[in-house]
Amino acid sequence: MVVAGLVFAAVAALIHLYIFVMESLTWTSARTRATFGIRSLEEAQTTKAMAFNQGFYNLFLAVAALLGIVLVAAGITVVGATLVFVGTGSMVAAGLVLLLSNRRMLRPAAIQAVPPLIAIILLALGLAV
């Protein structure tokens, strides 16, 4: 179960790395604007600084989870699992905030929150044994 939990944590980290790229690097592109429901280039330009900052939050969560995975794999289980739980727990919390702020964001919130939630459950069960 630990390995399955770490796999889901890696998937969650990859999703958040992709979100980082969209928010911090490609925010004004037509594809990213469509993904986030931004109607115009002007709107994207207006929100670019906020998105850039937000993207880095997603990057930091991904880095925490990935570093935790590496440490668990290296046998430094307590520190590694703590990092995985912090990173994935924050991802779940951010997905809940997204959903609570706009009920129409169910799909993006689920993409953001379900893989890390599965990671948390599986890793906790695996470590409890």
Side-chain angles (χ1 to χ4, degrees):
M1 287 240 210
V2 169
V3 172
L6 296 178
V7 168
F8 273 95
V11 168
L14 291 174
I15 290 168
H16 282 75
L17 286 173
Y18 182 61
I19 294 169
F20 158 74
V21 168
M22 289 190 296
E23 290 176 340
S24 295
L25 305 178
T26 65
W27 184 251
T28 58
S29 74
R31 183 174 178 178
T32 297
R33 288 193 334 258
T35 299
F36 284 91
I38 307 285
R39 291 183 262 272
S40 68
L41 181 57
E42 294 76 26
E43 184 181 355
Q45 291 290 356
T46 301
T47 58
K48 186 175 180 179
M50 178 276 311
F52 182 79
N53 186 24
Q54 186 170 306
F56 274 87
Y57 282 93
N58 285 297
L59 173 65
F60 301 147
L61 296 178
V63 168
L66 291 171
L67 179 58
I69 292 167
V70 169
L71 292 175
V72 170
I76 308 169
T77 306
V78 173
V79 174
T82 300
L83 284 170
V84 172
F85 287 132
V86 167
T88 56
S90 296
M91 292 172 189
V92 171
L96 289 173
V97 168
L98 178 61
L99 180 60
L100 293 173
S101 68
N102 185 345
R103 301 278 185 197
R104 294 180 308 205
M105 293 291 175
L106 176 60
R107 184 174 184 271
I111 290 169
Q112 183 175 355
V114 170
L117 178 60
I118 294 170
I120 290 167
I121 293 167
L122 292 176
L123 186 58
L125 290 173
L127 293 173
V129 176

